[in-house]
Amino acid sequence: MNTPHTRGHRQLSGEDQQRPDSKHGSLRLAMLKLAGGNAVGKLAALIAIPVIARLYKPEHLGMLAAFSALVALAATLSTLRYVCAIPLPRRDSTALVVTCLALIVLSIYTPVATATAYVVGPALLTYTSLSALIPYLPLIIAGTALTACHEILTLWATRKQQFGQLAVSQAQQGLVGSVAKTLLGALQFKPLGLLLGHLLQLAGGNGPLIKSFATIANKNLRYVRRSRMRLVAAHFSEMPRYQLPSQFLTMATIHAPALLAPRVFGLSGAGQLALALTALSLPINLLANSMGNVYLAKISIIGRKQPSQIMAITGEVTRTLVALVFLPTLILLLAGPWLFEFIFGSTWRLAGEIAQILSVSMAFQFVSAPVAHALSVLRAQQLLLQLNASRFLIVTGVFASASLFGWSIKHVTVLYSALLCLHYMLSYGCMMQLIRKHARAHNNDSCN
């Protein structure tokens, strides 16, 4: 029967190419393929860090950390998180409609964000002891647009399981960003070299992805219509309602130290913290983001109607992540301060002491973060929002207490790391419990 519901369903599904089969390649092979390019980019950044640490002052790295944080936060809002729905539809035509919807939102958001930045930005930056960033507001807006576009292209490549192209993109990003920051620093463009290098890094890996996306878009552009855009906006309404605040809280929590530390410890202390977090996140996340993308691609194909398979894949990913993170964490615990002083110079010994303290919490984050993708597939954005809200309260509470009581940076780091360890353990337990609940319910329905 040709009801409005069935007509809308066909309109949403389209008549074009279906997604690749879930049996294409193994999970471990896909992880290794994507990790190869990720490793090149991350290794380039790792090699460049000792040079950058000697070219720039701690306060310059503090500015870069705050600049990157503002770009990431602004980019999170720029598409209302409709981009997160790109891997989910069965049909490429529907995914392209979602992409066009996200681009329209971005085109509206950019001028509004620009006007807001110039009206309230100077006052907010001055209050947070980041007035040095006021002349660079145009770069923050440019970085926001570049980040949003790169996320769209990355999610399309993830959807099509084009892990080779993603690997090339990630390698190019790391190489371009590292070379740009080093050369501009050597030419005495300080701190501008760090900020421009970050923008070039965002844009540097888009080439391989644009060509692939353009081919798919040309084949399916005829399916993009206003009526379908309204349908996908309603169908994925949980993205702006739940995914947007949840992701914003996630990014705010991740970048809160970079934005709050200058007011508590000054830009120099914020730079020490920034180097510690950067040096930790690069090797620890060498495979975490890659595995997260592969994990999302696999479970998106499986869908929420097969939670038992999602639970099996989640267990495999978790065991791999634990094995990978154990040795780096042990090394940092035993020799963090000495390693930092030897590699980056005596100026950065404090950063090594901070990294030593943070290594355990970063290990817990490394293991638990990819599993959060399952909540999107299982449509459990409410739980994700609650977990991220609790983490945000922990981080802001620690830095607010430090400002109020005048704690030292090392005392703050100890409390910060301990509370985050507890949070990640509880979060992982909650996510696994939800997956098991869906699996049991599915098994019971199958038996009945």
Side-chain angles (χ1 to χ4, degrees), residues 92-312:
D92 286 344
S93 65
T94 306
L96 185 61
V97 174
V98 174
T99 303
C100 292
L101 176 63
L103 289 172
I104 289 174
V105 173
L106 176 63
S107 67
I108 298 171
Y109 172 85
T110 301
V112 173
T114 302
T116 304
Y118 278 99
V119 172
V120 304
L124 289 176
L125 291 174
T126 301
Y127 176 77
T128 54
S129 301
L130 289 169
S131 56
L133 285 178
I134 292 176
Y136 304 108
L137 285 174
L139 297 184
I140 295 175
I141 300 300
T144 300
L146 287 172
T147 301
C149 292
H150 180 72
E151 184 177 22
I152 290 172
L153 295 171
T154 298
L155 286 171
W156 260 103
T158 299
R159 169 185 173 81
K160 303 302 291 183
Q161 299 193 40
Q162 295 169 336
F163 301 119
Q165 292 185 4
L166 277 174
V168 173
S169 172
Q170 291 175 350
Q172 288 183 352
Q173 277 193 315
L175 290 169
V176 169
S178 300
V179 171
K181 291 171 186 175
T182 302
L183 288 179
L184 291 172
L187 294 172
Q188 301 301 311
F189 289 99
K190 303 175 184 180
L192 180 61
L194 288 174
L195 309 186
L196 286 177
H198 184 70
L199 294 186
L200 291 172
Q201 179 175 332
L202 293 174
N206 288 340
L209 305 180
I210 291 174
K211 183 178 179 180
S212 174
F213 171 70
T215 301
I216 299 170
N218 287 334
K219 290 181 180 179
N220 296 282
L221 195 59
R222 64 185 183 275
Y223 295 107
V224 178
R225 296 186 292 270
R226 288 185 181 180
S227 56
R228 295 192 71 198
M229 211 169 290
R230 287 193 294 267
L231 281 171
V232 299
H235 186 73
F236 295 110
S237 61
E238 71 270 16
M239 297 302 173
R241 281 191 297 162
Y242 299 113
Q243 185 70 24
L244 175 63
S246 177
Q247 182 68 13
F248 185 82
L249 282 174
T250 298
M251 300 305 292
T253 305
I254 292 172
H255 295 289
L259 295 174
L260 299 176
R263 183 170 177 81
V264 181
F265 310 120
L267 270 177
S268 181
Q272 296 280 352
L273 179 60
L275 182 67
L277 290 172
T278 301
L280 282 174
S281 63
L282 281 174
I284 287 181
N285 291 333
L286 182 64
L287 294 176
N289 291 336
S290 301
M291 289 187 174
N293 286 334
V294 176
Y295 176 69
L296 174 60
K298 296 295 181 182
I299 64 176
S300 294
I301 292 172
I302 293 170
R304 58 176 175 165
K305 293 183 179 180
Q306 298 294 331
S308 297
Q309 293 186 36
I310 292 178
M311 186 167 65

Side-chain angles (χ1 to χ4, degrees), residues 24 27 31 49 51 68 73 82 93 99 169 173 213 237 296 304 307 312 319 338 376 385 389 410 430:
H24 179 69
L27 179 64
M31 285 180 179
I49 288 178
V51 181
S68 304
L73 288 173
Y82 277 115
S93 65
T99 303
S169 172
Q173 277 193 315
F213 171 70
S237 61
L296 174 60
R304 58 176 175 165
R319 289 189 292 271
W338 178 83
S376 296
L385 177 60
K410 286 196 284 187
C430 290

Side-chain angles (χ1 to χ4, degrees), residues 316-387:
E316 181 183 356
V317 170
T318 298
R319 289 189 292 271
T320 303
L321 292 170
V322 170
L324 288 169
V325 79
F326 178 77
L327 183 59
T329 303
L330 182 63
I331 292 173
L332 282 169
L333 281 172
L334 296 176
W338 178 83
L339 281 174
F340 271 65
E341 190 172 10
F342 176 76
I343 296 172
F344 305 119
S346 57
T347 305
W348 300 100
R349 181 175 177 84
L350 176 58
E353 295 173 356
I354 294 171
Q356 184 181 42
I357 299 168
L358 291 176
S359 59
V360 178
S361 63
M362 291 293 288
F364 278 99
Q365 180 183 355
F366 175 80
V367 173
S368 66
V371 183
H373 288 303
L375 301 185
S376 296
V377 175
L378 296 174
R379 301 288 178 88
Q381 279 83 4
Q382 296 96 325
L383 175 59
L384 186 61
L385 177 60
Q386 292 168 0
L387 295 176

Side-chain angles (χ1 to χ4, degrees), residues 264 394-407 412 415:
V264 181
I394 289 172
V395 176
T396 54
V398 168
F399 279 91
S401 300
S403 178
L404 181 63
F405 299 110
W407 294 339
V412 172
L415 180 61

Side-chain angles (χ1 to χ4, degrees), residues 5-22:
H5 174 75
T6 56
R7 288 197 302 270
H9 177 74
R10 285 200 301 270
Q11 193 177 21
L12 189 63
S13 299
E15 301 294 339
D16 55 313
Q17 179 184 358
Q18 293 192 22
R19 303 187 58 184
D21 190 87
S22 60

